[in-house]
Amino acid sequence: MDRPVHSVRARLDDFLADLANLHYRHGAGLSPELPVAALHASFPELSSAETFAAATEALEKARAKNEPLGVRRLQLLRELIAGQVEEGLAARDVEAVAKLEAHARMALDDQALSFGEALAQIPHEPNRGRRALLERAVGNFLWSEKGRYGARREAALQTAEQLGAQDYPTLREDVSGIALGKLVEAANETLRLTEDAYRDVLGYVLHKIDPTLRALPGGNARRHDLQAALQAPWMDSFFLREGLAPAVMRWLNDWNFPPTARGRIRIDDEPRPGKAHRPFVAAVHVPGEVRLVLQARGGMDALGDLLHECGHAQHLAHIAETLPVELRRLGDASVTEGFAALTERLLLSSEWLKRYLQLPTPVAKDAVRLAAFQALAVLRRHCAKLPYEMSLFTRGPSEERAEEYAAGQRRALFVEPHPGYFLFDVDPQLYSARYLRAWALEARLTARLRERFNEDFWRNPAAGEWLKGLFAKGGTDDAETLSTEISGTPLALPEAGARLVAILNH
């Protein structure tokens, strides 16, 4: 039974490099297609129930022998195989959705926008009537294609059946070690604790973009209104497109994190039709070839995205190349998301904003409060997404889930969503859980950095070296282990919410 595991290990690095290249080319605007089905077909043992069973057996043997490193490697490999079983089942639908979105056109007045263009314009459209038309066009398109999106989501249920799990959430708990029930409880508690502060600032930002807007219940604010308000367009003159990337690169150099990590990070900032609106990272080889794809944008949201993806890229580029392939390539995604959140949360530092963007003190303070609100809105949205996605992947993608999705988003955000998004606004493999744990980990990381290196840890080279030590470990530790190691305490999602509330109430 060990042979399939050895086969997967031998080919894993090359497979993940090829997969990353496909996603890079598609996201960078170099290819409208995303031909993942052929790649999965070329490596059938990675997405087979037999290989999953072999990895399960090997994991049990390693535990019986008390081999911690062997156990960790097999845990990560087994989780990957479970994910690839799902990706293999979904591959043709993933390709079909990518092609559908690449060729779809949204009719708007006298224009025909691509799906990506329409989606990207919604938060940035200042005219509420036109913004509503954009949201309706995208939402109606998604609803009309719910069969195709639903087929992608059905792969999760098929995976649970193939691998002999009671249901999909049980399978994900088994392979990830994440106690999803407890995390949902923590998410609900976070929603409760942060509601008053969120609603107070929500009223303020909605009024800033339109004095007639009021939140639910009783008001008529829609999700597109919140998306526009989260851009904080009244701050745009302080976050100009041409100044953001140079500021971030200057900060990285000051902190002894060269932006290209001495050649390990390749920055693709060339303007290109079809290129993803938001930046992203493709890990072709770890740590040697990490591609950071950028599209020049302005605004607070753009700066947060840039800082986030730079955090991902620096983490991947500093993983020790001597680690086994599983520890270099795989890991608890909450850890890398936690490191990315750590750099993104520099928006919560008025001193960082003053130093690298030369913001006046009053403007920097306003920006910090708005950044905290942006972070809290995203946190609350995912607190609602996790239980919804667990239900979706248990009951299946029927139309009844649309109202369940909308009800959860209303409860979290106090704006009206378009129900057509119910199969689009979904993170595969319950990735929402990773984000929630990542934000809890970021709170622990930031507290430890401040404790050891003061409030301005972000310019202390010793703090950077400490972080590089954590980066080098790759997938060795999961988020809970890392939290306990650096702080002596486990993850606590409500504390991450409380930190944001404290900034909003300051």
Side-chain angles (χ1 to χ4, degrees), residues 299-380:
M300 285 184 60
D301 182 63
L303 177 57
D305 287 346
L306 177 58
L307 288 166
H308 184 99
E309 296 305 324
C310 283
H312 275 309
Q314 292 292 335
H315 170 221
L316 291 165
H318 286 89
I319 291 174
E321 59 187 352
T322 55
L323 288 174
V325 63
E326 300 94 332
L327 302 185
R328 280 188 298 107
R329 279 299 208 163
L330 311 177
D332 178 359
S334 295
V335 173
T336 189
E337 295 293 353
F339 290 138
L342 174 70
T343 50
E344 182 181 354
R345 293 291 191 262
L346 290 175
L347 282 171
L348 302 180
S349 169
S350 60
E351 293 304 314
W352 190 94
L353 292 168
K354 288 192 288 184
R355 184 180 183 88
Y356 289 102
L357 293 180
Q358 287 77 53
L359 297 190
T361 296
V363 175
K365 288 181 177 179
D366 286 347
V368 165
R369 193 162 183 258
L370 288 167
F373 177 72
Q374 290 171 336
L376 185 56
V378 174
L379 172 61
R380 288 180 59 86

Side-chain angles (χ1 to χ4, degrees), residues 251-269:
W251 159 66
L252 286 169
N253 277 314
D254 287 353
W255 210 22
N256 198 25
F257 279 96
T260 63
R262 297 180 174 86
R264 294 190 295 277
I265 297 173
R266 302 182 186 183
I267 300 176
D268 176 354
D269 56 2

Side-chain angles (χ1 to χ4, degrees), residues 201-211 213-215 221 225-226 229:
V201 184
L202 174 63
Y204 166 75
V205 297
L206 289 176
H207 188 268
K208 287 287 286 185
I209 63 165
D210 184 339
L213 279 177
R214 299 291 182 274
D225 296 314
L226 175 60

Side-chain angles (χ1 to χ4, degrees), residues 373-435:
F373 177 72
Q374 290 171 336
L376 185 56
V378 174
L379 172 61
R380 288 180 59 86
R381 187 167 78 87
H382 283 77
C383 282
K385 280 183 64 174
L386 178 60
Y388 162 70
E389 289 168 1
M390 290 173 64
S391 173
L392 170 67
F393 290 137
T394 301
R395 302 179 184 182
S398 63
E399 289 187 11
E400 288 78 10
R401 301 285 79 72
E403 177 51 35
E404 185 178 354
Y405 165 78
Q409 291 299 300
R410 284 188 209 106
R411 176 194 170 207
L413 301 177
F414 295 92
V415 294
E416 186 66 35
H418 192 297
Y421 284 73
F422 81 113
L423 296 175
F424 177 77
D425 185 20
V426 172
D427 291 308
Q429 299 175 21
L430 297 180
Y431 203 85
S432 292
R434 307 291 187 172
Y435 283 127

